[in-house]
Amino acid sequence: MQSNLRNPGGFPRQAVVGKAHIMKMFRQQAHTLDQEFVVRDFVDDFLASGNIPLSLIRWEMTRDSTDVPTTADSL
């Protein structure tokens, strides 16, 4: 409650966006691996990535770099 009062609209919106990114990764992995996809393996790999941005976790798990900013993007 206190965090919502300090940052109105911040946490719930970030949680929804984060969930959408995770579900996109989930669908991409499931589609890529097809019959070999195991939910537990996906969750284990996701949690093993640690506390890094979702775009980097997605790149690490799927090798899809569309969400990863390059040096030229950050200038």
Side-chain angles (χ1 to χ4, degrees):
M1 177 83 168
Q2 289 179 353
S3 65
N4 285 341
L5 292 174
R6 284 187 220 130
N7 188 12
F11 178 75
R13 183 179 58 231
Q14 291 170 352
V16 170
V17 170
K19 179 185 177 200
H21 282 286
I22 293 168
M23 294 308 295
K24 183 178 179 181
M25 268 192 299
F26 186 92
R27 284 190 306 273
Q28 190 173 13
Q29 274 301 83
H31 180 70
T32 302
L33 297 175
D34 197 26
Q35 296 294 326
E36 298 173 12
F37 180 74
V38 178
V39 175
R40 184 180 187 109
D41 292 343
F42 173 83
V43 172
D44 287 345
D45 290 345
F46 180 80
L47 294 177
S49 297
N51 191 15
I52 61 174
L54 284 175
S55 58
L56 294 177
I57 294 173
R58 182 171 178 221
W59 171 79
E60 188 176 70
M61 291 178 69
T62 65
R63 295 297 182 227
D64 182 359
S65 63
T66 56
D67 294 338
V68 179
T70 62
T71 306
D73 293 339
S74 61
L75 294 176

